[in-house]
Every structure is written in C-alpha cells, then in structure tokens.
Amino acid sequence: MTVDIAAAAAAVGEALPDRPELLLVLGSGLSGLAERVEAAVEVPFEAVPGYPSVGVAGHAGRYVAGRIEGRPVLIQAGRFHAYEGHDMDVVVAPIRVAAALGVGTVILTNAAGGIARGLEPGCIMLIDDHINLQWRSALAGPLVGDEQRFPDMSEPYDRRLQALSMQVALELQMPLSRGTYAAVAGPSFETPAEVRMLEFLGADAVGMSTVPEATVARALGLRVLAFSMISNRAGGMGGDDLDHAEVLEIGERAGVGLEALIRGVVTRMEP
Ligand code: HPA
C-alpha cells in the first residue's frame, strides 16, 4: 500500500493553526506530552487519507498540533510498525507528510530494551547512532520526491541537538546516557543468543522502530534527534522479573523526565 503524501499532508495541514517547526513522534508509554501542549488541535489518523486505521494497541494514533513553550510543533502519538504488516512506505509516511508540511526537525522517541550495562528500566538513552537489522531499507524502491538516493549516514543524529540535549539534561540534573540503537524486525523479543549478538555488534539498546523514520528524515535533509526510554532489559538479561505495575510506574517516571528534557530542547533549539 502506498500513501499519497500530498493528499495526506493537505488533510493534516488544513487542520493546523500554523506551520509546525518540528515533528515529535511519541513512542509507547510516552504520550503524556501530547496532553500538555498549548492551543492543541487534534487530528486522528483516521482523518488522514491513506493512513491505515488500526495500530498496535487497537487504535491507530493521532496528531496533536500546538505549541510547546511558544514554538509550533506537530506531535505524533502512535506510529506504524513494519511488524504489524505495514509496508515500509506506510511506516515512514508520517515523516514524509511532516516534511511536506515544512517541518525542519524530527524528534523520535521509542521504548527499547537495555543491552549496555547500566541501561536499566527507566533510563533514558540519547541515540547517537544506529544499526539497521530490519533487513530492508525504508528507502528501497523508486525515488520519492526530492529525497536523496544515497543519503549520507555518517551523522544520522544531529550533533548540535545532541549537545543541546546533554546540556539540558545536565541542567535538569537528569542522568542521560548516549548510545547505539539497534532496530530489529520483531515482533518477538530477542533470544539470549540474539542479545549477545547485538551486544557484540555494538548495540546499547534494541527496539523495533525509529531507524526507518530516521533514515527517511535524513534522505529529506531533516535534522533528527532521538531518545529511547528503556522499558526492560533486553531478553534474558533482566534477572528478576519486574512486575507489570512496577514497569508501568518506571515508564511513567521516565516519561516525565523525557518530557522535561524535550521541552528544554524545543525551547532552546535553533529554528
Ligand atoms: N526488544 C525489542 N523491542 C523492544 C524491547 C526489547 O526488549 N523493549 C521495548 N521494545
């Protein structure tokens, strides 16, 4: 299935009060920020032509457009994953739509399994590089619009935005590690042998999203910043299992920290 980007962008754009500077994609358990934007306008994915209707939790997702500390942002709560059976061009359609709306910066968030020592549930990791283990590229196929055919990926995540994030975290006295995110196809979690392999390859955290979006964003020339919220130790490395309530509580606390961090970055980033 292909999404008509111009039609989708027209439908979203029509509902927006002003041109957003930034797309913020909220991963699982991180939708709190969408509740706290000023002058919010909501666009459910169902209202966007070409977007599939049902996502991982049985609801597709929504856009919330508004302002964070005065700056016009487009928040995307929910995303399409390849493991749901979506074609890659559906997975990355929201990035292309955001670019068509004039967004210059993309902030991606996700929930991920911690591999590196010290990346425990509740930690936030600034993604400074990634490994694509989804066995396909979101860019494969006919060239789309003005995208580069062979985008440079020597610096997929914007160095200045990373530095600003570290600075904001320091000021908030919030621990923020940085590391490499490995994207796997999923949807099963990793076996212990796979986790050992990922560690050997240099991955600090593992998840099932973000890399296709970051790749297309780079092909479009957008600045990318990305964070993982560590929701669990990657398969077979967790020791004692946490109970579910504990996991939720950890997620909520980490979500609050990540929200403060993102607010700080959005307030101070260059346009
Ligand atoms: N593995 C893959 N994806 C994930 C994980 C994990 O452990 N946790 C959250 N998303």
Side-chain angles (χ1 to χ4, degrees), residues 78-126:
R79 51 153 63 96
F80 307 115
H81 298 92
Y83 64 72
E84 295 168 278
H86 298 305
D87 290 342
M88 271 297 175
D89 64 341
V90 172
V91 173
V92 298
I95 302 298
R96 291 178 169 142
V97 166
L101 291 169
V103 154
T105 306
V106 176
I107 301 181
L108 303 168
T109 67
N110 60 52
I115 295 172
R117 195 187 300 256
L119 274 185
E120 299 295 330
C123 290
I124 307 290
M125 185 184 89
L126 171 66

Side-chain angles (χ1 to χ4, degrees), residues 1-13 23 25 43-55 59-64 74-80 86-87 89-101 213:
M1 193 180 122
T2 47
V3 179
D4 180 340
I5 300 300
V12 179
L23 174 72
V25 180
V43 183
F45 281 1
E46 288 84 354
V48 184
Y51 278 22
S53 55
V54 179
H59 54 85
R62 63 193 172 127
Y63 285 113
V64 179
L74 181 62
I75 294 182
Q76 178 191 327
R79 51 153 63 96
F80 307 115
H86 298 305
D87 290 342
D89 64 341
V90 172
V91 173
V92 298
I95 302 298
R96 291 178 169 142
V97 166
L101 291 169
E213 293 146 297

Side-chain angles (χ1 to χ4, degrees), residues 111-113 184 189-190 206-208 231-235:
V184 295
F189 289 118
E190 296 66 42
V206 55
M208 303 171 193
S231 56
N232 57 282
R233 289 292 293 170

